[in-house]
Amino acid sequence: MLKWTMALLCGIACVVGISVLFIQVNNHQGEIQQAATAPAMPDAPLNAQAAEAIYKQSCIACHGTDLEGKMGPNLQKVGGKLSDQQLYKLIQSGRGGMPAFKGTIKDEEIANLARWLAEKK
């Protein structure tokens, strides 16, 4: 009887594991499709002063005056981890506790801020 119980539990664990795996693969494919259909970053030259102004207006409360992080993560070396494209998409759509800024900041300003942050390495 114990062997049958253990075999049943093992079978259930395998089914649950495979189900979770398929769900994760499906979610990952959805993220890839979303990234492929996301709008491209506007092509504009970097304006550091304008980017700093946007940062002070919209980001400083969570990321700190020196990009050191407060409620939000430290951004002092974010350019070593994320590209300007990745930062652009992240600022546009938000993530976790970070709000999306697509409707509140112009796309050109988001692109400028992303380029400025990408230089922080």
Side-chain angles (χ1 to χ4, degrees):
M1 181 73 173
L2 182 61
K3 289 181 183 179
W4 287 106
T5 304
M6 292 302 289
L8 180 64
L9 289 175
C10 185
I12 291 171
C14 288
V15 169
V16 169
I18 290 171
S19 299
V20 169
L21 179 65
F22 280 117
I23 290 169
Q24 291 296 324
V25 167
N26 200 14
N27 287 344
H28 183 66
Q29 288 175 342
E31 290 172 4
I32 291 171
Q33 286 177 341
Q34 184 180 17
T37 59
M41 187 168 86
D43 189 27
L46 172 64
N47 180 342
Q49 289 178 333
E52 287 181 42
I54 294 165
Y55 178 84
K56 288 178 182 176
Q57 179 183 5
S58 303
C59 312
I60 202 167
C62 295
H63 295 286
T65 55
D66 295 320
L67 305 161
E68 75 276 7
K70 288 184 177 182
M71 292 181 348
N74 182 317
L75 299 177
Q76 292 172 337
K77 296 184 181 183
V78 71
K81 298 173 188 169
L82 300 172
S83 70
D84 57 354
Q85 281 283 347
Q86 292 169 317
L87 288 164
Y88 174 75
K89 290 175 185 173
L90 190 130
I91 295 167
Q92 261 198 332
S93 58
R95 180 171 70 186
M98 181 177 157
F101 286 96
K102 185 174 183 173
T104 57
I105 301 175
K106 295 178 185 176
D107 286 344
E108 294 79 18
E109 293 174 329
I110 293 174
N112 189 40
L113 181 59
R115 285 187 183 92
W116 181 69
L117 287 170
E119 289 188 341
K120 309 297 180 198
K121 296 182 182 181

